[in-house]
Amino acid sequence: MEHKAPEYFLSLWKLASSSRLMAMLHGGWGEGGTEGSQGQFPLTQNVTVVEGGTAILTCRVDQNDNTSLQWSNPAQQTLYFDDKKALRDNRIELVRASWHELSISVSDVSLSDEGQYTCSLFTMPVKTSKAYLTVLGVPEKPQISGFSSPVMEGDLMQLTCKTSGSKPAADIRWFKNDKEIKDVKYLKEEDANRKTFTVSSTLDFRVDRSDDGVAVICRVDHEALNATPQVAMQVLEIHYTPSVKIIPSTPFPQEGQPLILTCESKGKPLPEPVLWTKDGGELPDPDRMVVSGRELNILFLNKTDNGTYRCEATNTIGQSSAEYVLIVHDVPNTLLPTTIIPSLTTATVTTTVAITSSPTTSATTSSTRDPNALAGQTGPDHALIGGIVAVVVFVTLCSIFLLGRYLARHKGTYLTNEAKGAEDAPDADTAIINAEGSQVNAEEKKEYFI
C-alpha cells in the first residue's frame, strides 16, 4: 500500500486551486461569487459494516460549478481526487465520480479501517463533511466447557460458554429444553488489540434423571450476525438408579386364567435382567410360573398363587424394586334358572315350621345354603335333587312319628284319670258310682265356673 500521492496529483491540485483563484480575482467577491459558493456544500453519511465486508462512502453536492471533490481517510491520506486514485490500495475502488457525487468502496474492511473519513469540496474556503466508518467485530463460534460425561444424578454441574472477537461485546444466553435460563454469571474482557472483547457466561445447576438426553444451548447474539445467532450445544448424559413399576395384564385376575406381570424398569445404564420373587423367596412353581425377559407368566391361576410378587432391577448405580399383591378371584357362577332357588328355599322354610324343635332343621338349612353346592354347574344336578327328596321324606317320617307319640301320651293320661275312682271302691258298682260322681262333680264345677 502506498500512502504518498504521486507528484502529478499534487500538480493537478495546485492547478485546480490556481484556476479557482484566478476565477475569483476576475469575478471578485461580489454577490454573484457569494451566491455561487453558498449553494455548494458536501453531504455525507455514517457507515456501519461488518468486519470483512465492503463499505461504500458517498459524498454529494446539490449545486456544484465544476468544483473538485476529494475523499481522505482518518490519517488524512487522500484516497480519491475526483476520479483519480491517489492511494495505492487495491481494496479501494471508484464507484461513481461526477460534479455532484464522489462515491468509493472499501472492500475486506478490517478493524483498523474504522474511523472518521472526510469529503472535501475545493471551494474557497474549502468545505468538508465527515463520515464515520464503524467496523463490527464478528464474535467467534462459542465453545462450551466444563462437561464431563457421564454425570451422576444429584451432582452439581457447571458449564461455561465463551466467545472472542466481538465488537461491541456480544451477549450470551442459555437455554435448556428451549426454555431460557436467567440465573447465570456474565464476564466481559477486552482483547489484546484493545478493540474487540472476549465474553464468557457460566451456568450452574443440579442435575436429575429428567436432564438425561436434554440439550443445553449457549446462544451468542450480536448485531454483526444479521439476526442469525451462533450457538453451541451440549447434550447431557445423566446416570441414575433404576425406577421400577409392575404392570399386570388384567386388573381382575380370576382362577383358571393366565396372568402376565410386566416389570417396567428404566435406568442408565440400562438395568440388568430383572429378578422375580414371591413372598420373599423363589417362585414356588417354575413349571407354571415362567420368566421371559422382564415378564412373569403365570399359567392357570389358582388360590395358592395369592401373595406378594417382587421385581428387582439393578444397574451399576444402584438397585430398585416394586411389589404387586396378587389376589385370585373366583370365577363368576353360571346360575340355574331362577325358579330353582326359590323352590329350595320354600321347602326349607316349610320343614322348619312343621317341626320347630327338630335339630334336623338347622342341618337341613345349612346344607341347602351351601354356596359350593351349585358352584360351576351348568345344568341340573340329579344327585342334589335326589338328596333333597330324601331329606324331605325323612323329615316327613320324623314328623309322623313324633305326632303319633304325642297322641299316645295324651290318651294314657285320660285312662289314668278315669281309673282314679276305683282305687278306694270295695266293688265294681261302687267304682262306677264314684266315677259317675266325679263326672257329676266336674259338670257341677263347670256350671259353677260358667
Side-chain angles (χ1 to χ4, degrees):
M1 182 185 298
E2 182 66 40
H3 296 291
K4 185 176 181 181
E7 293 183 359
Y8 74 90
F9 284 127
L10 295 176
S11 301
L12 183 61
W13 183 82
K14 291 179 180 179
L15 179 61
S17 300
S18 300
S19 299
R20 176 59 58 190
L21 179 60
M22 292 300 294
M24 289 167 53
L25 291 174
H26 287 290
W29 292 94
E31 292 182 4
T34 304
E35 290 178 359
S37 62
Q38 285 181 348
Q40 303 177 60
F41 198 87
L43 300 175
T44 59
Q45 208 170 19
N46 294 334
V47 177
T48 299
V49 64
V50 176
E51 184 180 12
T54 299
I56 304 296
L57 300 175
T58 300
C59 180
R60 290 188 178 88
V61 180
D62 291 337
Q63 299 178 15
N64 190 358
D65 53 354
N66 301 333
T67 303
S68 298
L69 291 170
Q70 171 187 290
W71 271 111
S72 57
N73 63 14
Q76 294 303 313
Q77 296 171 330
T78 301
L79 304 179
Y80 265 89
F81 185 86
D82 286 336
D83 58 351
K84 304 299 188 293
K85 189 173 183 178
L87 190 65
R88 292 180 181 178
D89 189 340
N90 295 331
R91 301 179 305 132
I92 302 174
E93 299 291 341
L94 179 65
V95 177
R96 181 180 176 84
S98 68
W99 294 115
H100 298 283
E101 179 182 338
L102 179 60
S103 296
I104 63 174
S105 65
V106 182
S107 60
D108 193 18
V109 174
S110 64
L111 295 174
S112 61
D113 293 324
E114 184 175 85
Q116 189 168 265
Y117 289 73
T118 304
C119 174
S120 301
L121 176 64
F122 284 92
T123 58
M124 190 60 70
V126 177
K127 296 178 181 178
T128 61
S129 180
K130 309 291 184 180
Y132 196 90
L133 176 62
T134 301
V135 181
L136 301 177
V138 181
E140 299 176 358
K141 183 175 177 62
Q143 300 291 332
I144 296 178
S145 61
F147 179 76
S148 58
S149 180
V151 179
M152 303 302 170
E153 183 179 22
D155 287 354
L156 182 64
M157 178 177 290
Q158 184 177 83
L159 299 178
T160 300
C161 181
K162 187 176 182 180
T163 180
S164 302
S166 60
K167 177 181 172 296
D171 184 30
I172 296 179
R173 302 167 67 185
W174 288 95
F175 294 86
K176 187 170 76 167
N177 274 344
D178 297 328
K179 183 178 180 180
E180 185 173 3
I181 304 173
K182 296 291 188 179
D183 188 15
V184 296
K185 300 175 183 177
Y186 183 83
L187 179 64
K188 177 178 69 174
E189 297 177 338
E190 192 176 53
D191 294 334
N193 59 16
R194 305 186 68 82
K195 292 181 179 293
T196 59
F197 296 89
T198 295
V199 181
S200 62
S201 178
T202 303
L203 170 65
D204 296 325
F205 64 101
R206 195 169 298 278
V207 299
D208 57 32
R209 63 186 59 198
S210 64
D211 293 322
D212 183 50
V214 170
V216 176
I217 296 176
C218 163
R219 192 175 84 182
V220 175
D221 293 326
H222 194 269
E223 53 188 306
L225 299 177
N226 296 324
T228 305
Q230 292 184 343
V231 297
M233 184 175 64
Q234 179 64 63
V235 179
L236 304 182
E237 182 181 0
I238 312 300
H239 283 192
Y240 54 93
T241 57
S243 60
V244 183
K245 180 171 63 174
I246 298 178
I247 303 175
S249 59
T250 175
F252 194 78
Q254 296 179 358
E255 191 170 7
Q257 295 182 349
L259 175 66
I260 300 177
L261 299 179
T262 302
C263 183
E264 186 179 89
S265 59
K266 296 180 181 179
K268 197 163 186 177
L270 191 66
E272 301 172 359
V274 298
L275 175 64
W276 285 98
T277 58
K278 180 191 176 185
D279 296 331
E282 297 182 355
L283 298 177
D285 191 350
D287 295 334
R288 203 166 45 84
M289 299 179 177
V290 181
V291 176
S292 176
R294 301 181 183 278
E295 294 182 349
L296 172 60
N297 298 276
I298 305 177
L299 307 177
F300 307 111
L301 290 171
N302 57 53
K303 296 291 186 178
T304 62
D305 296 329
N306 289 343
T308 301
Y309 291 80
R310 182 184 180 91
C311 168
E312 295 182 359
T314 306
N315 63 7
T316 56
I317 308 302
Q319 175 182 311
S320 184
S321 63
E323 293 183 346
Y324 173 79
V325 178
L326 173 61
I327 300 177
V328 179
H329 299 271
D330 294 329
V331 177
N333 295 331
T334 304
L335 299 178
L336 298 175
T338 55
T339 55
I340 294 178
I341 299 304
S343 64
L344 297 179
T345 306
T346 303
T348 303
V349 172
T350 302
T351 304
T352 304
V353 173
I355 306 173
T356 55
S357 62
S358 175
T360 314
T361 304
S362 59
T364 305
T365 305
S366 61
S367 63
T368 55
R369 295 183 181 180
D370 185 2
N372 297 323
L374 299 178
Q377 294 184 4
T378 58
D381 191 336
H382 297 289
L384 178 61
I385 296 175
I388 293 174
V389 172
V391 170
V392 172
V393 171
F394 176 75
V395 171
T396 303
L397 293 176
C398 291
S399 300
I400 294 173
F401 173 76
L402 294 176
L403 181 60
R405 188 174 179 180
Y406 173 78
L407 293 177
R409 285 183 178 180
H410 181 72
K411 183 177 181 181
T413 303
Y414 173 78
L415 294 175
T416 303
N417 292 332
E418 185 181 25
K420 285 182 179 180
E423 291 179 356
D424 299 327
D427 51 27
D429 294 333
T430 305
I432 294 172
I433 294 172
N434 291 340
E436 290 177 355
S438 299
Q439 291 179 0
V440 173
N441 293 334
E443 289 177 0
E444 290 176 355
K445 188 181 293 186
K446 183 175 183 182
E447 290 176 359
Y448 175 77
F449 279 111
I450 292 173

